[in-house]
Amino acid sequence: MDKKDHHFLSDETVEEASRTFKVLADPTRIKILYLLSQEECSVTHMTEVLNMSQSAVSHQLRTLRGLRLVKSRREGNHFYYSCSDQHVINTLNQVITHIDCE
Amino acid sequence: MDKKDHHFLSDETVEEASRTFKVLADPTRIKILYLLSQEECSVTHMTEVLNMSQSAVSHQLRTLRGLRLVKSRREGNHFYYSCSDQHVINTLNQVITHIDCE
DNA sequence: TATCTATATGATCATATGTTCATATAGATA
DNA sequence: TATCTATATGAACATATGATCATATAGATA
């Protein structure tokens, strides 16, 4: 391939892609996102199902919220979280599918 | 969704997915993989095109080699690297495409 | 109003990761 | 054989990140 035919990524694109993959690189966030991709659920529920401390779950939810990958709604004393970025879920599912079919 | 209908990921699957995303989470590796997805090239060439130190490139290639995402062949004094995991390239391209079309 | 429940958050600490610098190495060439 | 070139690698260092612990907070309830 001739050098002039190359496509180069802009720094912004590289950084954005890196951010996307960084979010998905942590086991805890993978579990949370995969769970939320199947059902909306409360922090308490996540904590129980994932067998993690409330604080750890909450901190990761903060990260995910900051990146607008999840959203929450209040119902009484509970906050119900759900996914808000289908593209990230698609990417996650694609990789998981590939792993599981090997 | 009823709890019994949930699909849970095994720890191994989560770990494997995490590993995959971790590799793609670093800007330098993204640049290297994207370059190699377009053409086989030598370490010297990568160093010049990516404007990075030889050592930094070489260290990252070691990481990528360890994970069998790239392979190399010798030709005289040069080592030519190329991609060896199309699935990872597909994942990378999918995310990049999504970013660039926004 | 006092307290309880669910969630959020700040500080701290340990670990992981990427770069640089210095140097090693293997094959090519003088 | 001496040296040069391309690449690899180890040590050291700085930064980033995730978990935990303690505590704050807001709405519900007694």
Side-chain angles (χ1 to χ4, degrees):
Chain A
M1 190 185 269
D2 203 316
K3 197 163 179 177
K4 67 179 180 304
D5 294 328
H6 285 181
H7 179 234
F8 290 102
L9 299 171
S10 71
D11 285 348
E12 299 80 53
T13 298
V14 171
E15 283 304 322
E16 176 67 21
S18 171
R19 267 191 294 277
T20 300
F21 289 123
K22 272 199 177 79
V23 188
L24 292 167
D26 177 67
T28 297
R29 287 191 294 268
I30 290 178
K31 289 179 195 169
I32 290 176
L33 287 172
Y34 191 74
L35 179 58
L36 294 182
S37 76
Q38 295 178 82
E39 69 162 356
E40 180 192 60
C41 63
S42 68
V43 179
T44 303
H45 187 205
M46 286 185 243
T47 299
E48 289 167 355
V49 172
L50 303 179
N51 194 31
M52 295 185 49
S53 76
Q54 180 269 320
S55 183
V57 171
S58 193
H59 275 296
Q60 292 302 340
L61 287 173
R62 178 184 162 88
T63 299
L64 295 171
R65 249 185 297 128
L67 295 165
R68 301 181 186 281
L69 303 189
V70 302
K71 61 187 182 220
S72 66
R73 66 180 180 85
R74 175 174 226 136
E75 196 176 300
N77 254 353
H78 291 259
F79 279 80
Y80 287 90
Y81 278 79
S82 57
C83 291
S84 58
D85 187 326
Q86 190 56 41
H87 175 253
V88 164
I89 296 299
N90 289 344
T91 303
L92 175 60
N93 282 331
Q94 187 194 327
V95 168
I96 286 171
T97 301
H98 185 260
I99 290 168
D100 281 347
C101 77
E102 268 178 347
Chain B
M1 190 186 268
D2 203 316
K3 197 163 179 176
K4 67 179 182 304
D5 294 328
H6 285 181
H7 179 235
F8 290 102
L9 299 171
S10 71
D11 285 349
E12 300 79 54
T13 298
V14 171
E15 284 303 323
E16 176 67 20
S18 171
R19 267 192 295 278
T20 300
F21 289 122
K22 271 200 178 78
V23 189
L24 291 168
D26 177 66
T28 298
R29 287 192 294 268
I30 290 178
K31 290 179 194 168
I32 290 176
L33 287 172
Y34 191 73
L35 179 59
L36 293 182
S37 77
Q38 296 179 81
E39 69 162 355
E40 181 190 61
C41 63
S42 68
V43 179
T44 304
H45 187 203
M46 286 186 242
T47 299
E48 290 167 354
V49 171
L50 303 179
N51 193 31
M52 293 184 51
S53 76
Q54 180 269 320
S55 183
V57 171
S58 193
H59 275 295
Q60 293 302 342
L61 287 173
R62 179 183 161 88
T63 298
L64 295 171
R65 249 186 297 129
L67 294 165
R68 299 180 187 282
L69 303 190
V70 301
K71 62 188 182 219
S72 65
R73 67 180 179 84
R74 175 173 226 137
E75 196 177 301
N77 254 353
H78 290 259
F79 279 81
Y80 287 90
Y81 278 81
S82 57
C83 291
S84 58
D85 187 326
Q86 190 56 42
H87 175 252
V88 165
I89 296 299
N90 290 345
T91 302
L92 175 60
N93 283 332
Q94 187 195 328
V95 168
I96 287 172
T97 300
H98 186 260
I99 290 169
D100 282 348
C101 77
E102 268 178 347

